């Protein structure tokens, strides 16, 4: 969180993404069909679109991009020279939606309701911070963002749902960037294959805002944007390690995080926790005995219990740097 005192004097740059531009290592060839599917799924799932709406949104995106790339929107391989010569913005999609809906055979009332639902989503990403972040014709320099130290602040985004939406997009772009670099940079491949190196680390502080347990749904027809975001994040997190990307998830209360974070973490570090149920939850997640769990609430500053991979947990003291 940028409000923390160590960052208060940092000069901030506005981060922006063009949703139509895949996250690639340099200006490489792209899987345009796959990217359209990814973006439409992110928008529809994160904003609670159900039934036929996600498919209509995907068709509208394809229709919008066809004026620039023709039938290439259905291809999984588009050359760099063809794709990067133009940079359309996602905000042309509203007109494309009208064209898509005109060709549908829905009854007028149903057509109007569907158009309104999708336009509500499109309107939502065209106001406030979403417009600032997503309205760019050129995505920020991803080589700078994903290869050098950077701090991204979500403190001004309002609700946890909005923060989750933003971090989901960022993590998807990070995932795609790592895959692209792995496929297009031989040195990167060799480093991973021969040394299994950690190439980059993301730290998600106060992680419950973006990896928190979603509220349960009460109806089979209901869709919970937080639940859908959690599903997307679980999938992304499960894929990142293969491409040299590490993720450090930090929070004061383990119970607020989705279960996959506790179960699938390769390294678990437990600092002092006072609540008995939190101590028990984290202790059991790394196979501590009941007696060992009782020590968690009395850990002193600089002390922690660590479990690495399948090794036995151990109690360590971290020396303070002079």
């Amino acid at each position: 969180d940028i409000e923390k005192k160590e960052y208060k004097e940092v000069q901030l740059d506005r981060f922006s993404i063009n949703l139509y531009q895949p996250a690639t290592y340099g200006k490489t060839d792209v899987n345009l069909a796959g990217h359209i599917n990814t973006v439409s799924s992110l928008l529809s799932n994160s904003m609670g679109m159900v039934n036929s709406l996600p498919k209509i949104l995907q068709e509208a995106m394809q229709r919008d991009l066809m004026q620039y790339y023709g039938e290439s929107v259905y291809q999984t391989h588009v050359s760099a020279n063809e794709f990067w010569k133009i940079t359309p913005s996602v905000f042309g999609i509203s007109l494309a939606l009208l064209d898509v809906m005109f060709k549908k055979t829905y009854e007028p009332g149903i057509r109007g309701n569907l158009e309104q639902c999708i336009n509500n989503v499109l309107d939502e990403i065209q106001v406030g911070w979403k417009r600032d972040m997503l309205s760019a014709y050129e995505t920020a320099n991803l080589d700078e963002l994903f290869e050098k130290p950077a701090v991204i602040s979500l403190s001004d985004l309002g609700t946890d749902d909005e923060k989750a939406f933003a971090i989901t997009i960022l993590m998807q772009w990070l995932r795609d960037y790592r895959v692209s670099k792995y496929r297009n940079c031989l040195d990167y491949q060799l480093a991973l294959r021969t040394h299994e190196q950690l190439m980059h680390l993301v730290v998600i502080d106060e992680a419950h805002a973006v990896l928190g347990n979603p509220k349960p749904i009460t109806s089979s027809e209901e869709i919970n944007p937080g639940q859908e975001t959690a599903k997307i994040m679980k999938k992304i997190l499960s894929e990142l390690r293969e491409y040299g990307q590490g993720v450090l998830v930090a929070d004061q209360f383990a119970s607020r995080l989705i279960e996959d974070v506790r179960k699938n973490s390769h390294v678990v570090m437990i600092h002092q926790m006072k609540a008995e149920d939190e101590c028990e939850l984290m202790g059991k997640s790394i196979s501590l005995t009941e007696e060992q769990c009782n020590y968690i609430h009395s850990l002193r500053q600089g002390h922690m219990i660590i479990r690495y991979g399948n090794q036995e947990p151990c109690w360590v003291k971290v020396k303070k740097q002079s």
Side-chain angles (χ1 to χ4, degrees):
D1 193 318
I2 203 69
E3 297 304 319
K4 293 194 174 182
K5 61 182 181 180
E6 57 263 42
Y7 300 128
K8 287 219 171 176
E9 302 302 321
V10 175
Q11 180 65 42
L12 301 181
D13 295 320
R14 177 166 289 170
F15 177 71
S16 58
I17 283 179
N18 182 339
L19 289 175
Y20 278 162
Q21 289 184 347
T24 60
Y25 173 65
K27 304 293 187 182
T28 56
D29 298 351
V30 301
N31 176 354
L32 186 51
H35 181 67
I36 292 172
N37 183 58
T38 295
V39 173
S40 61
S41 295
L42 278 176
L43 291 178
S44 58
N45 290 333
S46 298
M47 297 190 177
M49 299 173 68
V50 295
N51 300 325
S52 59
L53 293 177
K55 181 62 177 175
I56 294 173
L57 177 62
Q58 182 179 3
E59 289 180 28
M61 295 181 72
Q62 291 168 336
R63 179 76 60 182
D64 187 26
L65 286 174
M66 281 187 72
Q67 62 184 309
Y68 304 100
Y69 303 112
E71 295 297 318
S72 293
V73 298
Y74 303 112
Q75 296 178 11
T76 57
H77 183 273
V78 180
S79 71
N81 289 337
E82 179 184 357
F83 181 81
W84 295 104
K85 64 184 178 183
I86 42 181
T87 53
S89 167
V90 74
F91 293 121
I93 193 174
S94 295
L95 292 177
L97 175 63
L98 293 176
D99 186 41
V100 169
M101 294 305 297
F102 179 77
K103 296 178 180 179
K104 297 290 184 183
T105 57
Y106 297 120
E107 294 180 3
I110 296 177
R111 177 186 288 114
N113 288 338
L114 292 174
E115 285 182 7
Q116 186 61 51
C117 289
I118 296 181
N119 275 319
N120 287 343
V121 171
L122 298 178
D123 288 343
E124 188 173 337
I125 67 173
Q126 295 185 60
V127 295
W129 69 267
K130 292 189 181 81
R131 180 173 182 83
D132 292 338
M133 179 177 172
L134 305 175
S135 64
Y137 280 91
E138 194 72 33
T139 294
N141 188 328
L142 297 183
D143 294 326
E144 290 280 335
L145 180 66
F146 294 148
E147 299 294 348
K148 298 180 180 180
V151 177
I152 296 177
S153 169
L154 304 180
S155 58
D156 293 331
L157 300 194
T159 67
D160 285 351
D161 283 345
E162 296 214 313
K163 292 176 182 178
F165 174 71
I167 200 66
T168 301
I169 290 177
L170 285 167
M171 292 299 288
Q172 181 66 54
W173 258 245
L174 173 62
R175 179 263 178 203
D176 293 347
Y177 177 87
R178 288 287 158 221
V179 173
S180 175
K181 187 166 185 179
Y182 179 81
R183 292 174 177 172
N184 293 284
C185 179
L186 182 58
D187 290 341
Y188 193 82
Q189 285 185 29
L190 290 175
L192 281 177
R193 289 176 177 176
T194 57
H195 305 296
E196 296 185 350
Q197 283 184 244
L198 176 67
M199 311 301 285
H200 185 264
L201 179 68
V202 167
V203 179
I204 304 178
D205 197 13
E206 300 294 343
H208 65 274
V210 293
L211 287 169
N213 283 313
K215 297 176 182 178
I217 58 176
T218 58
S219 165
S220 60
E221 306 230 338
E222 183 183 355
I223 186 168
N224 183 341
Q227 197 168 50
E228 296 304 310
T229 298
K231 288 181 183 178
I232 296 170
M233 286 295 291
K234 284 191 286 187
K235 182 177 183 296
I236 294 172
L237 291 173
S238 68
E239 296 173 343
L240 284 173
R241 189 184 304 166
E242 180 182 354
Y243 299 102
Q245 177 65 55
V247 180
L248 192 157
V249 176
D251 203 277
Q252 297 180 54
F253 298 96
S255 60
R256 297 191 296 191
L257 301 174
I258 57 176
E259 190 175 24
D260 284 58
V261 170
R262 299 192 302 271
K263 286 188 173 182
N264 297 329
S265 295
H266 190 63
V267 180
V268 177
M269 297 178 286
I270 304 175
H271 296 271
Q272 183 193 74
M273 294 187 294
K274 291 297 187 183
E276 185 177 336
D277 57 340
E278 295 288 332
C279 294
E280 182 181 1
L281 178 66
M282 282 308 299
K284 287 184 176 180
S285 73
I286 61 170
S287 303
L288 295 184
T289 66
E290 182 176 349
E291 181 181 2
Q292 290 171 328
C293 288
N294 292 332
Y295 284 102
I296 295 177
H297 68 83
S298 60
L299 290 171
R300 291 180 292 169
Q301 185 177 15
H303 291 237
M304 69 181 79
I305 297 173
I306 295 181
R307 188 205 64 195
Y308 179 83
N310 294 321
Q311 298 180 18
E312 290 292 320
C314 57
W315 185 346
V316 303
K317 178 183 178 181
V318 180
K319 291 184 179 179
K320 187 175 182 179
Q321 289 184 331
S322 57

